[in-house]
Amino acid sequence: MKRLFFNILFLCLCGAESVAQGFRQEYGDARKAFVEIIATPDHADSRYGLGQPAALRVVAREGGVPLEGTTIYYKVGSEMYLPEHYDSTAFVGGEAVLQMGTMQEPGFLACQYEFRAGGKTYKDLVKVAYEPEAIRTFTPMPKDFEAFWQKALKEARKVPLEPEYFDVPDATNDKFVTKLVRLHVGKEKWMQGYLTLPRHLEGTGGRFPVVLCPPGAGSQKIYPSDYFPKEGCIYLKIEIHDNDQRLSDEAYAEERKKCDGYMSRGMESRDTYYYKDVYVGCARVVDFLCTLPEWDGRNVIVTGGSQGGALTIVTAALNEKVTMCAPFYPALCDVMGFLHHRAGGWPKFFSGFYKDGRTTVPDDKATETLQYFDVVNFARLLKVPVFMSWGYNDDTCSPTSVWAAWNEIKAPKEKDVTPTSGHWRFPSSQAKCLEWIDRGVKSEESAVAVIEGEE
């Protein structure tokens, strides 16, 4: 019966693809969306002063014809605190202007809208900023914060890394060598990752900068990448839960169940919280990269997005070997925000509306623990150059929480803010990051050359 079902499904899919191909052959490919939409705040940079009213102009065309009379529903509020009920207006000449009101405190105002056209419902979320440089975190820094983490890292460094290597033939060729490596990064903590090294490149002497990429949230499989190796860097993409990356997809799905709810596990104490071993483990992975004979001995870059962005900042703050820090839309920033009726960072602890943010201990005990893990406190410790990129329309890692961390950084820093992006990045943002890394590596090489009397 199951085989029959899959045979029918396969034939249906083949038939659908055949119809699609036939349509394209007969009528050609559409070069534009049938319904085209542009939503633009009345301040081009999406930034406002306190008390300034904001408006969102939505332009929509159906098959090139401006919408006329179509109802657009919308609701406006401080980000992540939108009201239940919608207001509405209508498109006139293809345009609808949505009045958003204003804010009297630094933060983000959000507008969610939707309408039907061409037989489909279209919806989007747009946020605008109110004096974001003035956003301050609600998370205090404990007096013993640095001492706590220095002790934790010192203890982890007593444990030999004991790297185990496994061949990855599919990601190894005449340009790159890739290994799956498993590392003992703490007393009872292991991590796995794909390590990719460029083969000898002319002018490098066979020695390269190292790039560590911590993962986003969850417990998904990771995969090798040649993005940084193509640029002449050693690259390690890690998985933080020690799930065996060699398992089949079905077996991995079972393996990863052990990670359910990890973001709140052990929150009753700073010593038992799940992220303690993760934070220290990422710092130990940097120690491993710096033992590789192919490392150039100078450049250590950490970069990642979301949870990986949080771990990027944490790793750069904890490990003195890191020389560049490039987080994208970091999570775990200003996690106390929701306690003050303001958008906080993922996992949205204390929000009451996000399943990953459910805490298993009373709020006072949770806040006592979380102040040792809030990324804003690690941002305060950064001493190396920082490149950070994020967008305003992110509803996972709120821009309010990211700005709260950014505003605490005293180290040299460069930002790339793209107001229209959500929980993702434009290719141009990644390109800017790579250019920034390249400049940093070259400036470090120049400094070494001067010290050695070569210039």
Side-chain angles (χ1 to χ4, degrees):
M1 190 64 158
K2 185 181 291 186
R3 179 176 295 178
L4 177 61
F5 169 77
F6 282 111
N7 284 340
I8 293 172
L9 178 61
F10 176 75
L11 290 172
C12 288
L13 291 173
C14 289
E17 177 61 22
S18 176
V19 169
Q21 288 179 358
F23 183 90
R24 286 196 295 268
Q25 276 191 343
E26 188 70 23
Y27 303 109
D29 283 324
R31 289 178 290 175
K32 287 187 176 182
F34 183 62
V35 177
E36 301 172 274
I37 307 164
I38 298 177
T40 310
D42 57 348
H43 284 202
D45 59 0
S46 301
R47 292 168 62 101
Y48 297 79
L50 299 184
Q52 281 187 316
L56 183 67
R57 177 172 171 258
V58 183
V59 177
R61 287 169 170 74
E62 183 179 357
V65 178
L67 290 186
E68 190 68 47
T70 299
T71 301
I72 180 169
Y73 299 91
Y74 67 99
K75 50 187 174 181
V76 177
S78 58
E79 68 164 334
M80 296 191 182
Y81 286 98
L82 295 177
E84 181 178 350
H85 300 290
Y86 286 87
D87 290 321
S88 65
T89 187
F91 283 96
V92 177
E95 297 185 10
V97 177
L98 314 182
Q99 300 299 332
M100 295 180 64
T102 188
M103 293 186 73
Q104 302 300 332
E105 295 181 355
F108 281 80
L109 192 61
C111 177
Q112 181 179 310
Y113 70 83
E114 64 179 68
F115 63 92
R116 283 190 65 80
K120 292 175 59 178
T121 297
Y122 294 86
K123 58 179 66 177
D124 201 1
L125 177 71
V126 177
K127 300 181 190 179
V128 297
Y130 278 82
E131 299 191 6
E133 287 85 359
I135 294 172
R136 291 293 173 261
T137 180
F138 285 111
T139 303
M141 175 176 263
K143 291 181 180 178
D144 64 344
F145 183 85
E146 291 186 72
F148 171 75
W149 285 109
Q150 287 170 1
K151 179 182 177 182
L153 183 56
K154 183 178 180 181
E155 289 299 310
R157 280 175 165 164
K158 293 178 182 178
V159 179
L161 287 162
E162 306 176 61
E164 302 173 6
Y165 293 94
F166 307 93
D167 291 336
V168 187
D170 291 346
T172 298
N173 52 42
D174 60 340
K175 294 181 179 179
F176 312 110
V177 176
T178 298
K179 301 276 189 180
L180 176 65
V181 60
R182 185 170 185 253
L183 300 170
H184 196 184
V185 294
K187 188 176 180 181
E188 297 179 3
K189 183 68 176 176
W190 292 77
M191 289 184 178
Q192 297 188 24
Y194 284 106
L195 176 67
T196 301
L197 298 90
R199 295 191 188 272
H200 181 74
L201 295 177
E202 187 176 348
T204 65
R207 292 163 66 83
F208 312 96
V210 293
V211 178
L212 170 64
C213 183
S219 51
Q220 306 298 325
K221 264 190 173 183
I222 58 173
Y223 298 94
S225 170
D226 61 5
Y227 179 82
F228 281 105
K230 282 181 178 177
E231 301 298 327
C233 296
I234 297 167
Y235 180 67
L236 178 59
K237 171 73 173 183
I238 59 171
E239 192 275 341
I240 61 173
H241 308 293
D242 193 32
N243 292 330
D244 191 343
Q245 301 302 301
R246 298 167 297 169
L247 294 174
S248 68
D249 290 347
E250 294 77 11
Y252 194 87
E254 281 299 312
E255 175 89 352
R256 65 192 291 266
K257 287 180 181 178
K258 70 182 183 183
C259 304
D260 290 349
Y262 73 89
M263 54 286 290
S264 61
R265 191 179 299 169
M267 198 182 287
E268 60 272 9
S269 165
R270 65 183 186 178
D271 291 308
T272 59
Y273 189 34
Y274 189 84
Y275 273 114
K276 181 184 178 185
D277 286 343
V278 172
Y279 283 13
V280 172
C282 288
R284 287 292 283 143
V285 172
V286 168
D287 289 342
F288 161 73
L289 286 170
C290 293
T291 67
L292 298 175
E294 296 87 356
W295 175 45
D296 67 8
R298 296 188 301 271
N299 296 287
V300 179
I301 302 108
V302 189
T303 184
S306 194
Q307 177 186 261
L311 296 177
T312 291
I313 294 173
V314 169
T315 304
L318 288 182
N319 195 309
E320 70 285 354
K321 299 181 182 75
V322 175
T323 58
M324 282 180 274
C325 171
F328 287 80
Y329 34 86
L332 291 154
C333 296
D334 195 36
V335 295
M336 313 296 181
F338 288 104
L339 286 173
H340 300 267
H341 204 71
R342 191 180 81 180
W346 182 91
K348 303 178 186 176
F349 294 128
F350 317 114
S351 66
F353 56 73
Y354 193 67
K355 65 176 180 138
D356 285 345
R358 294 173 186 157
T359 54
T360 55
V361 297
D363 286 356
D364 58 345
K365 179 59 68 174
T367 56
E368 184 180 325
T369 295
L370 289 171
Q371 60 188 331
Y372 287 90
F373 296 87
D374 197 313
V375 168
V376 297
N377 284 335
F378 292 92
R380 288 165 166 153
L381 299 182
L382 290 173
K383 296 181 175 63
V384 300
V386 178
F387 175 94
M388 189 184 293
S389 180
W390 67 99
Y392 287 172
N393 296 341
D394 193 332
D395 227 29
T396 301
C397 297
S398 68
T400 297
S401 69
V402 176
W403 272 101
W406 172 261
N407 291 338
E408 295 295 332
I409 298 173
K410 303 299 187 292
K413 57 185 182 178
E414 182 176 323
K415 68 178 182 292
D416 172 57
V417 177
T418 50
T420 59
S421 63
H423 198 59
W424 43 270
R425 71 193 78 169
F426 288 108
S428 60
S429 295
Q430 187 62 44
K432 288 179 183 177
C433 179
L434 190 60
E435 291 169 5
W436 177 82
I437 290 172
D438 188 54
R439 290 198 309 270
V441 169
K442 287 180 178 176
S443 65
E444 181 68 20
E445 291 172 348
S446 298
V448 171
V450 170
I451 291 171
E452 294 177 351
E454 295 179 8
E455 291 185 4

